[in-house]
Amino acid sequence: MAKIAYRDAVRDAMSEEMARDSRVFLIGEEVAQYNGAYKCSKGLLDKFGPDRVIDSPISEAGFSGLAIGAAMYGLRPIVEFMTFSFSFVAFDQIVNNAAQIRYMSGGQIKIPMVFRGNSGGGHQIGATHSHAPENIYATFPGLKVVVPAFAADAKGLLKSAIRDDNPILVIENEALYGRESEVPDGDYLTPIGKANILQEGTDVTIVTHGRSCWTVLEAAQELHKMGIRAEIIDLRSIKPLDWPTVFASVRKTHNLVCVDETKPFCGVSAQVAAEVQRACFDHLDAPILRVTSVEAPMPFSSALEDECIPNVARIIEAVKQVVS
């Protein structure tokens, strides 16, 4: 398997799917001439031309609505948000149109499209550019939400999303675009709704997703030195969520710590904790703990950002409390 950067995996997924299916096109701010704000669409304009790689005006609501209309007529658009924080400008298009049209048309009209872009803090881009919105969009029936952590899933999940007949949000993370990891050769798909066990363990289950996977893996190395064997589950898909894999792990380790960058109130970890205590209460040896972003707007200060998002020290402390 080759080792490539996350952003290149995103580009390869779009390139392969556009070559495979002439109905697939990309639209967003700076995706064509500038190759994307984070260079995820580098070379696609030259390869597929301006009819399929389209620079849009700075109007998320406008180009999202255009893409939804195109999907209604059978095309398969990919909408790139420069940051998912800007998707809130197109909230009505995503939630009230993309998510609801199939239901409100009695299944007669499908919306096969992808909204993708980066999210999260840690880059000193301020409170309005640092949201992690996967928990918000996962609350709306009609939408699927995936959050790849590694290059292999950035490619495999995006290809699956493009081929799906439903609107899917593929939420990436700016900090991951330059990170390299192994990617299988050839055409492959990562199934939506299937979690991945990154590391097997016996003492505690850590459920996480997105960039937090990398932080949890780092914390697990320190925990190993302390004699604590953590089983790490990368959810990959927030909705649908792979409950059987989560439940099976908790029934084995009898302890659970949830780690993610959404806010603590109504976040992804809150949902996981609620479902696990309902399904696995008799198997738990200790209360479930969560390590999330703090309940505050994301500060600009780098030092404060490091404290706001889940870090190794907070994860280790939570695990030690659970297994003690």
Side-chain angles (χ1 to χ4, degrees):
M1 292 193 289
K3 200 177 229 185
I4 66 173
Y6 188 104
R7 64 162 54 84
D8 295 332
V10 172
R11 180 206 58 212
D12 289 351
M14 293 191 291
S15 180
E16 289 178 15
E17 292 305 299
M18 291 176 74
R20 185 187 64 82
D21 187 340
S22 62
R23 298 171 297 174
V24 179
F25 71 93
L26 173 66
I27 186 170
E29 297 155 354
E30 300 182 344
V31 299
Q33 296 288 344
Y34 191 64
N35 291 315
Y38 297 96
K39 308 307 175 193
C40 293
S41 54
K42 185 177 181 180
L44 297 186
L45 176 63
D46 293 337
K47 190 171 183 179
F48 297 102
D51 290 339
R52 297 183 67 195
V53 183
I54 304 167
D55 275 331
S56 70
I58 303 176
S59 174
E60 283 77 9
F63 63 76
S64 295
L66 183 152
I68 292 168
M72 293 174 69
Y73 278 90
L75 299 181
R76 307 184 81 87
I78 306 167
V79 171
E80 178 177 304
F81 293 122
M82 192 176 291
T83 158
F84 247 98
S85 295
F86 297 166
S87 73
F88 299 145
V89 184
F91 199 69
D92 182 61
Q93 294 287 7
I94 299 170
V95 170
N96 276 331
N97 290 325
Q100 311 302 330
I101 286 173
R102 185 168 188 172
Y103 169 75
M104 296 186 71
S105 68
Q108 297 180 78
I109 302 174
K110 300 175 183 176
I111 309 294
M113 67 179 299
V114 170
F115 299 95
R116 54 154 295 270
N118 71 86
S119 74
H123 322 292
Q124 290 191 278
I125 50 178
T128 61
H129 293 60
S130 302
H131 295 289
E134 53 266 36
N135 59 319
I136 298 172
Y137 287 113
T139 65
F140 296 102
L143 295 178
K144 298 181 182 179
V145 182
V146 299
V147 187
F150 304 95
D153 293 329
K155 181 178 179 180
L157 283 171
L158 181 52
K159 287 168 67 72
S160 292
I162 293 169
R163 298 184 191 188
D164 201 285
D165 282 339
N166 298 285
I168 299 183
L169 283 73
V170 181
I171 300 179
E172 302 151 4
N173 189 294
E174 179 184 345
L176 299 180
Y177 282 140
R179 291 212 175 192
E180 294 186 348
S181 52
E182 290 185 336
V183 172
D185 298 325
D187 184 30
Y188 71 94
L189 301 174
T190 301
I192 292 170
K194 182 62 179 173
N196 184 31
I197 299 176
L198 299 177
Q199 173 181 299
E200 294 193 355
T202 54
D203 300 321
V204 60
T205 297
I206 303 179
V207 173
T208 186
H209 69 270
R211 181 176 55 172
S212 292
C213 289
W214 293 81
T215 312
V216 168
L217 285 169
E218 187 178 347
Q221 293 181 3
E222 298 303 315
L223 291 168
H224 186 83
K225 296 174 185 174
M226 304 173 193
I228 300 172
R229 307 292 185 259
E231 180 147 301
I232 304 171
I233 297 177
D234 173 12
L235 291 176
R236 300 197 292 197
S237 174
I238 305 304
K239 195 173 187 181
L241 199 146
D242 184 1
W243 294 116
T245 295
V246 174
F247 295 161
S249 179
V250 172
R251 286 166 181 152
K252 181 177 76 172
T253 67
H254 306 291
N255 290 301
L256 174 63
V257 172
C258 304
V259 181
D260 80 285
E261 288 189 38
T262 62
K263 298 299 183 187
F265 189 83
C266 295
V268 172
S269 289
Q271 185 67 31
V272 172
E275 290 298 317
V276 168
Q277 70 82 26
R278 180 190 61 77
C280 307
F281 184 82
D282 290 339
H283 296 271
L284 289 168
D285 285 345
I288 300 166
L289 291 186
R290 297 181 289 145
V291 180
T292 68
S293 290
V294 302
E295 186 67 26
M298 190 63 68
F300 181 79
S301 161
S302 176
L304 291 177
E305 270 192 307
D306 290 342
E307 294 303 316
C308 278
I309 59 180
N311 57 41
V312 170
R314 289 170 59 199
I315 295 167
I316 290 175
E317 179 59 28
V319 170
K320 288 169 67 178
Q321 286 186 45
V322 164
V323 302
S324 63

